[in-house]
Amino acid sequence: MTILKDLKAKQSRAAQLRSQLDFPVIDTDIHTNAYSPALEDYIAQYGGSRVVDVFRSHLKSNGLNALAAEWYNASPEERQNRRLFRPPFWALPSENTYDLATVALPGLLYERLEELGTDYAVLYPNLALFPINSSNDDLRLSLTRAINHFHADIYKPYADRLTPVAAIPLNTPQEGIEELEFAQKLGLKAALIPGAVRRPIQAVAEKYPEDSDLRRYAYWLDFFGIDSEYDYDPFWQKSVDLGINLSTHSGSQSWVARNSPSNYMFNHINHFADASEALAKALFFGGVTERIPQLRIALLEAGAAWGQNVLTHLVDRFEKRGNEHVQQYNPERLNRELAIELYRQYGHTLYQGRELNEQEIIESLFGVASTSRFQAQKPEEINDFALAKIQTKQDIWDRWVPNFYFGNEADDRTIVGALNPKGNPFGQKINALYSSDSGHWDVPELTEPLAETWDLVQEGAITAEDFKSLVFTNPYQFYTANNPDFFKGTQVEHKLKNNQAA
């Protein structure tokens, strides 16, 4: 008891900072753990005893998915030969017992929120990622529903300061719609979706129907936009209609360039950014953000700098290959007479002793045997920006910036590039979110993230106005974009009213 009393007596840097702010602080990303015996009652309700057994097995393997568990059960030689990627390990701040218990006990987290310098937090149960990425239909659907119901119930008494996200599976648009509707009935206001779904390559699955190992490696990633197996527009529109804005934490560990059998950090660094970039580009190039401009997605744990980088590259590529611009590379526009004449005047040392062949000259210019392969039939096969209906550079801004918000962890200094208005062709800042990622190994002390973000202001890396945008303006804008009442009855609303009265 003395230890606990001493811990509570400490005043954090974050609490001191928050007392000086005239706006609320909204943390868009705190990870929580669940008390599994209580959760099992919900799992039994929706999935029966069999799913409870699967869940217990998952916990016994320390929460590892099947691929990760394989790594631990294999010898070093097997890991190398089978290219089993080194999975995450020691993912929680175990030495800091007080903080580890905090993210597992709703009442304690609620009590300590002032100490964290936070007025309101959006919570991401660590278990939520397990079912929505499962290919087992029964397990995915029943366990997702149980987890959502469980978290809605245990956090309901703390709704003025805490809200858990709903886990939403997306193997099909319909299952996503059904879970969104169920989440709304539970009172859940935000949602977590997978960044992609692994699907079998049909030709491989048909040719080798019994070879599970081969099919495990021969898959493609469906990012729900360009080239998707389904039309996900009804799901995106449903999220807008229900006022439940979406987010993702999905990563790319085990992808081809992140498949080290021995080094977790090799696989980890920037993997969230790679996965988020793929999802966002799929929605952009697939025309989703053009057809459903109200769609809002928070791409978390990836830093914000990549969002600025992609925006800049989209403009660069469009100005060279978008719409009519791409025609400057059309082989049919080659001035054959000029090319042949230039070879006659300057290329005689190249074809000395050979008979000048005009067709060989043309083929040599392109470095291919034939130019016929370039004759695409459909406009979208020639113009990669066609589905997004990009006509001007401004259209790129309109299809990218309002739709995507980029979660940035407190000590991630790449935010400097993301908030540099000279870093993109528009001279404006993208939407970055304060996302502490508390509850994971990169936050060994819960009370430090807000203060660490303010450290960047004191060092001159970002401005005080940037800080306000990160911790309040952008999060508030994101959550209220499709649900103006998102913060109704919360500490955020209370603080804003008090500030106005003052």
Side-chain angles (χ1 to χ4, degrees):
M1 290 298 294
T2 303
I3 296 176
L4 182 57
K5 185 178 180 180
D6 290 342
L7 288 170
K8 290 186 175 183
K10 293 181 180 179
Q11 186 176 26
S12 67
R13 291 203 301 150
Q16 294 174 13
L17 172 60
R18 178 180 170 276
S19 67
Q20 301 169 22
L21 303 177
D22 61 357
F23 48 84
V25 172
I26 303 169
D27 189 342
T28 65
D29 185 15
I30 291 182
H31 289 271
T32 61
N33 295 323
Y35 182 59
S36 55
L39 174 57
E40 287 180 3
D41 293 339
Y42 290 79
I43 297 174
Q45 176 184 344
Y46 289 103
S49 59
R50 183 185 63 83
V51 176
V52 172
D53 290 340
V54 173
F55 174 70
R56 287 175 177 171
S57 175
H58 176 70
L59 293 182
K60 287 180 180 179
S61 65
N62 295 315
L64 299 174
N65 60 34
L67 291 178
E70 249 186 320
W71 186 92
Y72 282 97
N73 293 327
S75 67
E77 293 77 15
E78 288 174 322
R79 295 166 187 164
Q80 186 73 25
N81 293 339
R82 299 179 63 193
R83 300 308 298 178
L84 300 176
F85 85 102
R86 177 63 157 115
F89 67 96
W90 293 357
L92 302 176
S94 303
E95 186 177 52
N96 191 333
T97 306
Y98 191 30
D99 282 1
L100 188 60
T102 296
V103 296
L105 298 167
L108 180 57
L109 177 58
Y110 182 84
E111 180 183 299
R112 293 192 66 197
L113 218 57
E114 296 272 350
E115 187 185 350
L116 274 57
T118 300
D119 292 276
Y120 192 85
V122 181
L123 311 178
Y124 288 82
N126 286 321
L127 278 173
L129 288 169
F130 167 49
I132 63 175
N133 289 301
S134 172
S135 60
N136 183 310
D137 292 345
D138 291 339
L139 177 64
R140 182 177 66 255
L141 299 176
S142 60
L143 192 52
T144 297
R145 184 144 296 191
I147 286 174
N148 287 340
H149 198 165
F150 171 71
H151 287 109
D153 283 353
I154 66 171
Y155 285 101
K156 189 175 296 183
Y158 312 104
D160 62 319
R161 291 197 171 209
L162 303 172
T163 189
V165 299
I168 306 296
L170 273 185
N171 279 47
T172 68
Q174 187 57 37
E175 72 178 31
I177 289 172
E178 290 174 2
E179 197 59 34
L180 273 180
E181 293 174 336
F182 180 73
Q184 187 189 51
K185 292 177 182 177
L186 293 173
L188 298 175
K189 302 186 292 186
L192 170 70
I193 62 171
V197 169
R198 291 192 181 197
R199 302 198 191 277
I201 296 176
Q202 186 175 350
V204 176
E206 290 176 351
K207 189 172 183 178
Y208 305 99
E210 304 302 324
D211 194 332
S212 59
D213 278 341
L214 179 61
R215 285 187 282 114
R216 186 183 73 180
Y217 291 107
Y219 65 86
W220 64 281
L221 292 167
D222 189 339
F223 294 106
F224 317 120
I226 193 80
D227 304 321
S228 179
E229 187 167 299
Y230 296 93
D231 175 9
Y232 278 89
D233 278 8
F235 172 77
W236 308 126
Q237 187 60 54
K238 178 61 69 172
S239 75
V240 172
D241 294 343
L242 296 179
I244 300 179
N245 285 352
L246 309 171
S247 61
T248 179
H249 276 80
S250 293
S252 59
Q253 291 187 79
S254 83
W255 292 10
V256 174
R258 301 186 178 281
N259 198 36
S260 166
S262 62
N263 196 295
Y264 168 37
M265 284 295 99
F266 176 88
N267 296 330
H268 178 274
I269 293 173
N270 283 339
H271 84 103
F272 283 116
D274 286 353
S276 292
E277 178 182 318
L279 171 62
K281 287 192 302 186
L283 300 181
F284 174 87
F285 281 111
V288 175
T289 56
E290 186 277 328
R291 295 189 297 274
I292 308 175
Q294 303 92 345
L295 179 65
R296 299 290 183 270
I297 300 181
L299 303 148
L300 302 176
E301 290 203 45
W306 72 266
Q308 174 104 300
N309 292 341
V310 175
L311 174 65
T312 298
H313 291 316
L314 287 173
V315 173
D316 292 345
R317 272 56 173 182
F318 173 72
E319 291 181 335
K320 293 181 176 65
R321 297 190 63 88
N323 296 357
E324 185 60 27
H325 298 305
V326 75
Q327 292 299 331
Q328 65 186 311
Y329 311 109
N330 187 340
E332 296 299 317
R333 292 197 174 187
L334 178 73
N335 187 327
R336 296 172 64 94
E337 292 182 3
L338 176 59
I340 292 169
E341 179 60 27
L342 290 172
Y343 263 78
R344 288 185 187 279
Q345 290 189 37
Y346 298 98
H348 54 87
T349 58
L350 299 176
Y351 58 81
Q352 190 173 16
R354 298 172 181 270
E355 182 180 349
L356 182 63
N357 185 308
E358 294 184 358
Q359 183 58 31
E360 286 181 354
I361 290 175
I362 301 304
E363 291 177 352
S364 295
L365 280 172
F366 291 103
V368 293
S370 172
T371 61
S372 62
R373 70 181 68 183
F374 295 110
Q375 306 309 310
Q377 300 301 312
K378 300 177 182 178
E380 60 267 27
E381 292 177 334
I382 300 173
N383 176 19
D384 289 324
F385 293 83
L387 292 178
K389 298 183 179 178
I390 304 299
Q391 299 300 322
T392 67
K393 185 172 76 173
Q394 182 61 40
D395 290 337
I396 295 176
W397 176 275
D398 295 341
R399 311 279 198 276
W400 185 263
V401 176
N403 306 95
F404 302 122
Y405 286 69
F406 307 97
N408 205 86
E409 295 171 27
D411 59 350
D412 187 344
R413 302 184 71 87
T414 63
I415 190 67
V416 175
L419 297 182
N420 178 6
K422 295 182 180 180
N424 67 65
F426 301 95
Q428 300 181 59
K429 299 175 182 181
I430 62 172
N431 299 315
L433 302 171
Y434 171 60
S435 305
S436 73
D437 200 30
S438 295
H440 280 174
W441 60 261
D442 42 353
V443 183
E445 171 56 62
L446 283 177
T447 62
E448 276 298 293
L450 185 68
E452 288 175 338
T453 303
W454 182 251
D455 287 343
L456 297 178
V457 177
Q458 294 183 311
E459 294 168 15
I462 64 175
T463 67
E465 188 59 33
D466 289 335
F467 176 83
K468 181 178 179 180
S469 295
L470 277 168
V471 306
F472 168 63
T473 309
N474 290 345
Y476 188 88
Q477 177 180 279
F478 172 74
Y479 289 112
T480 59
N482 292 311
N483 181 5
D485 293 331
F486 186 94
F487 292 105
K488 187 175 182 179
T490 70
Q491 179 67 15
V492 172
E493 182 186 53
H494 176 70
K495 191 165 187 175
L496 291 174
K497 285 182 178 179
N498 284 348
N499 289 345
Q500 290 173 356

